[in-house]
């Protein structure tokens, strides 16, 4: 291509033009020298021309017909354009070229994980922090199946993620290649979309489209397969186009907004139920609750969608499975506003939530409306749009309502429930009430709290107030154990200046505990508290009532100190209530100094959460009379006979 032609294909700043003119003059001088004297060597001419080409390519990323690029280089460029900061995975023969490209990036840090399942949880946590999309770079087949739990968690929880996998050589003509499986059929139930790149020209546009799908509407993971021969070899592309985000959002139906406002105008005791999807409207949800004087309960995933220290906050859900503050505040609730929630099984106490007949449901995904509870008014749209519109409309139909009385009721019930837990003093063990009361007082106000799946999850929901948006993350609808430790890593990488604290059960620790070596290798200052009781306690408690047995839920004791030493972590142990203040403070200080801290907490689970009690009760209610008799009589018999 001629110099004057490629000057026309890009936009230049003044500084660019000055630098370009200097280079042009130098080339012109070469031409004059050629005319006046002995010809310049091809080497000198090539050096200057190469310099000009390289300057233009590096500074402008401009278009050149028939550029020769590897698919890996194109993928790296696309990920950089999307603002990706970290990738998670393990390199293999199908993606070594891409890892080499990522290693050369000034923006992206490729993170080597112990297992792709842990890598997927790390990517999930990065996305939940909200600053960048979590991205995996993995090998095909085994890498994909290992990552599937984390992909599924993101899929059911509505978390965006990009999964970039290698693929077999698409033009070899051979069957039974290494890692040769149909990855797309495997992943289709747990992703929003899957793509298989067929040529070099598709690499950048495909990654951009995958990102748009992952982040628009209800978010979710999107899978991209980059075949070996495209990723590793050079191919022709016409250019490397910049990413352009389409910001247009669907219009909200204002007729439905008006209907919802009219319904609320006649409500005597409205309430709010908010999930993760309400986080984009965090401040508007607070304003809505305060204007209505309405109590607010949350889903498990939505614990950070409303501040836990706000006087109208009640806790997770309401009903027999919820804390007393929620039951008191939502007593006789005659109109419920649900925002960014699907009314899934966990936050509704296995569907036992007493949802009133008047239900206003706001969600970005219209498929969730009336799926479990019939909606009187259903409004589709992003909560960042719908909630402010609803608040504006409500102000036209009813005056603001004072919430001093309901706030007093909530505060009194919360204090009594907390004291109930503080009064429970186990012998030579740590009581959950004392632990979480102390941890909340000592940790930063904006600390990021990460839970795994287990009994500790619901203890955190009941006893550990979350003060701000995106400050609590845990596995929810997919409910995958092993989430916490990798998610602590992802959260800390995304928010390095903030305190990140994980709480994990000893059972889940066994699943992804070796990712602690990833954390210590990266030098992440974070704390993981291991609730060590020797059981898979959430299931063990559920077994105890109907079976009076604990089948396959009692664990062999784990040497947590040895695990800490093996993974180069700082080990501490917390054995009773008297040590809580000193040991938690010590662990937080060590993490602030850059250590990855593992604390063995000898927790007592003798007192059951309201959630566990309520779910067992609601489940039993759904049994037929014959099955109720069978289960209860068996439990009584085993209680007597052992």
């Amino acid at each position: 291509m001629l110099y004057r032609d490629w000057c026309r294909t890009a936009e230049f700043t003044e500084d660019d033009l000055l630098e370009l003119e200097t280079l042009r003059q130098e080339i012109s001088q070469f031409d004059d020298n050629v005319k006046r004297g002995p010809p310049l060597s091809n080497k000198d001419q090539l050096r200057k021309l190469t310099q000009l080409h390289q300057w233009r390519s590096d500074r402008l990323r401009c278009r050149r017909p028939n550029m020769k690029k590897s698919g890996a280089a194109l993928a790296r460029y696309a990920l950089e354009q999307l603002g990706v900061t970290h990738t998670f995975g393990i390199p293999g023969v199908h993606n070594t070229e891409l890892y080499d490209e990522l290693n050369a990036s000034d923006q992206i840090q490729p993170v080597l994980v112990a297992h792709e399942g842990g890598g997927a949880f790390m990517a999930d946590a990065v996305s939940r922090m909200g600053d960048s999309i979590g991205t995996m770079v993995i090998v095909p087949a085994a890498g994909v199946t290992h990552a599937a739990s984390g992909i599924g968690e993101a899929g059911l929880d509505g978390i965006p993620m990009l999964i970039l996998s290698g693929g077999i050589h698409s033009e070899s003509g051979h069957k039974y290649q290494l890692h040769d499986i149909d990855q797309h059929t495997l992943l289709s139930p747990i992703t929003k979309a899957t793509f298989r790149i067929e040529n070099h020209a598709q690499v950048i546009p495909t990654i951009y489209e995958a990102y748009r799908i992952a982040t628009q509407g209800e978010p979710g993971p999107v899978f991209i397969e980059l075949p070996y021969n495209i990723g590793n070899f050079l191919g022709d592309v016409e250019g490397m186009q910049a990413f352009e985000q389409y910001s247009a959002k669907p219009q909200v139906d204002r007729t439905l907004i008006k209907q919802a406002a009219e319904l609320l105008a006649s409500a005597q005791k409205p309430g709010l139920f908010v999930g993760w999807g309400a986080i984009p409207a965090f401040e508007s949800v607070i304003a809505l609750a305060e204007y209505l004087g309405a109590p607010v309960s949350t889903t498990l995933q939505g614990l950070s969608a409303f501040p836990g220290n706000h006087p109208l906050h009640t806790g997770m859900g309401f009903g027999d499975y919820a804390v007393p503050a929620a039951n008191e505040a939502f007593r006789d609730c005659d109109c419920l506003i649900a925002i960014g929630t699907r009314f899934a099984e966990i936050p509704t106490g296995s569907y036992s939530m007493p949802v009133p007949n008047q239900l206003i449901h706001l969600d970005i995904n219209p498929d969730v409306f009336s799926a479990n509870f019939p909606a009187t008014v259903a409004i589709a749209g992003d909560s960042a749009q719908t909630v402010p519109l609803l608040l504006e409309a409500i102000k036209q139909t009813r005056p603001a309502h004072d919430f001093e009385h309901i706030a007093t009721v909530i505060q009194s019930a919360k204090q009594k429930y907390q004291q109930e837990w503080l009064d429970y003093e186990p012998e030579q063990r740590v009581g959950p009430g004392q632990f979480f009361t102390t941890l909340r007082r000592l940790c930063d106000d904006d600390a990021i709290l990460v839970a795994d799946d287990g009994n500790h999850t619901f203890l955190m929901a009941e006893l550990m107030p979350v003060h701000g948006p995106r400050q609590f993350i845990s596995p929810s609808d997919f409910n995958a154990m092993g989430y916490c430790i990798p998610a602590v890593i992802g959260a800390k990488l995304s928010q390095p200046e903030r305190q990140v604290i994980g709480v994990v059960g000893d059972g889940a620790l066994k699943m992804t505990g070796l990712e602690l070596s990833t954390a210590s290798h990266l030098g992440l200052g974070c704390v993981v508290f291991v609730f060590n009781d020797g059981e898979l306690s959430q299931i063990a408690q559920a077994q105890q009532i109907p079976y009076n047995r604990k089948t396959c839920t009692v664990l062999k004791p784990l040497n947590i100190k040895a695990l800490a030493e093996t993974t180069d972590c700082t080990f501490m142990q917390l054995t009773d209530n008297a040590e809580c203040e000193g040991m938690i403070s010590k662990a937080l200080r060590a993490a602030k100094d850059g250590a990855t801290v593992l604390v063995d907490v000898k927790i007592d689970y003798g007192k059951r959460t309201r959630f566990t009690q309520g779910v067992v009760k609601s489940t039993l209610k759904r049994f037929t009379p014959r099955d109720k008799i069978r289960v209860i009589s068996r439990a009584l018999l085993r209680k007597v006979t052992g």
Side-chain angles (χ1 to χ4, degrees), residues 5-121:
D5 292 328
W6 23 281
C7 280
R8 286 199 296 263
T9 64
E11 295 178 4
F12 297 87
T13 66
E14 255 183 48
D15 289 341
D16 293 336
L17 289 170
L18 286 172
E19 186 172 351
L20 189 60
E21 180 61 17
T22 300
L23 289 169
R24 189 196 64 76
Q25 288 175 4
E26 289 182 12
I27 292 176
S28 180
Q29 287 175 1
F30 284 158
D31 291 341
D32 291 340
N33 290 337
V34 169
K35 293 176 183 176
R36 289 196 304 267
L40 289 172
S41 69
N42 289 335
K43 182 178 180 181
D44 285 335
Q45 292 187 54
L46 181 60
R47 180 176 62 83
K48 284 297 177 184
L49 289 170
T50 302
Q51 185 181 0
L52 188 54
H53 277 274
Q54 189 63 48
W55 175 86
R56 185 177 183 282
S57 176
D58 290 347
R59 289 285 300 276
L60 303 175
R61 302 279 192 181
C62 62
R63 296 189 171 194
R64 292 178 53 205
N66 301 320
M67 292 173 69
K68 295 286 187 182
K69 293 285 183 180
S70 69
L74 297 169
R76 167 195 161 184
Y77 171 77
L79 295 177
E80 288 174 338
Q81 284 283 300
L82 296 174
V84 172
T85 57
H86 298 85
T87 63
F88 304 93
I90 301 174
V93 295
H94 292 79
N95 62 12
T96 50
E97 187 78 12
L98 180 52
Y99 267 89
D100 192 64
E101 286 286 343
L102 294 173
N103 186 58
S105 174
D106 293 330
Q107 173 182 315
I108 301 172
Q109 178 186 4
V111 176
L112 174 64
V113 302
H115 188 279
E116 287 92 348
F121 294 140

Side-chain angles (χ1 to χ4, degrees), residues 523-535:
L524 302 182
C526 52
V527 184
V528 175
F529 293 98
V530 182
F531 276 20
N532 182 6
D533 74 318
E535 293 183 350

Side-chain angles (χ1 to χ4, degrees), residues 19 250 263 292 314 325 339 352 360 392 400 423 471 500 521 583 625:
E19 186 172 351
L263 192 64
L292 292 171
T314 64
I339 306 170
S352 66
I360 299 168
E392 179 185 333
D423 290 342
Q471 290 182 19
V500 179
H521 175 72
M583 196 58 65

Side-chain angles (χ1 to χ4, degrees), residues 494-628:
S494 180
Q495 303 290 326
E497 302 304 317
R498 290 170 64 184
Q499 207 173 49
V500 179
I501 300 166
V503 180
V504 63
D506 46 355
L509 174 70
K510 295 172 72 173
M511 293 186 172
T512 52
L514 287 179
E515 294 296 354
L516 288 164
S517 62
T518 306
S520 61
H521 175 72
L522 293 169
L524 302 182
C526 52
V527 184
V528 175
F529 293 98
V530 182
F531 276 20
N532 182 6
D533 74 318
E535 293 183 350
L536 300 175
S537 59
Q538 185 66 21
I539 301 302
Q541 288 183 4
Q543 289 175 323
Q544 187 65 33
I545 296 173
Y547 303 114
N548 199 34
R549 300 281 191 277
K550 295 180 180 179
T551 305
C552 288
T553 51
V554 178
L555 304 174
K556 181 180 178 181
L558 185 66
N559 188 337
I560 296 175
K561 182 179 180 180
L563 175 63
E565 292 173 350
T566 298
T567 55
D568 199 25
C569 295
T570 299
F571 175 76
M572 299 180 189
Q573 191 172 61
L574 177 54
T575 59
D576 59 39
N577 281 352
E579 296 179 346
C580 278
E581 182 90 16
M583 196 58 65
I584 293 174
S585 295
K586 184 179 178 182
L588 295 177
R589 285 196 303 270
K592 188 174 182 179
D593 292 337
T596 300
V597 185
L598 189 64
V599 185
D600 180 3
V601 182
K602 301 298 184 183
I603 198 72
D604 181 274
Y605 280 150
K607 181 175 171 59
R608 291 175 181 167
T609 63
R610 293 273 299 192
F611 177 82
T612 299
Q613 296 176 64
V615 168
V616 170
K617 181 180 176 182
S618 64
T619 301
L620 190 60
K621 280 183 178 179
R622 289 199 295 267
F623 284 12
T624 64
R626 182 184 65 182
D627 285 329
K628 281 182 184 178

Side-chain angles (χ1 to χ4, degrees), residues 467-478:
H467 292 173
R470 303 181 188 275
Q471 290 182 19
F472 175 86
I473 59 175
S474 75
S476 184
D477 290 344
F478 197 83

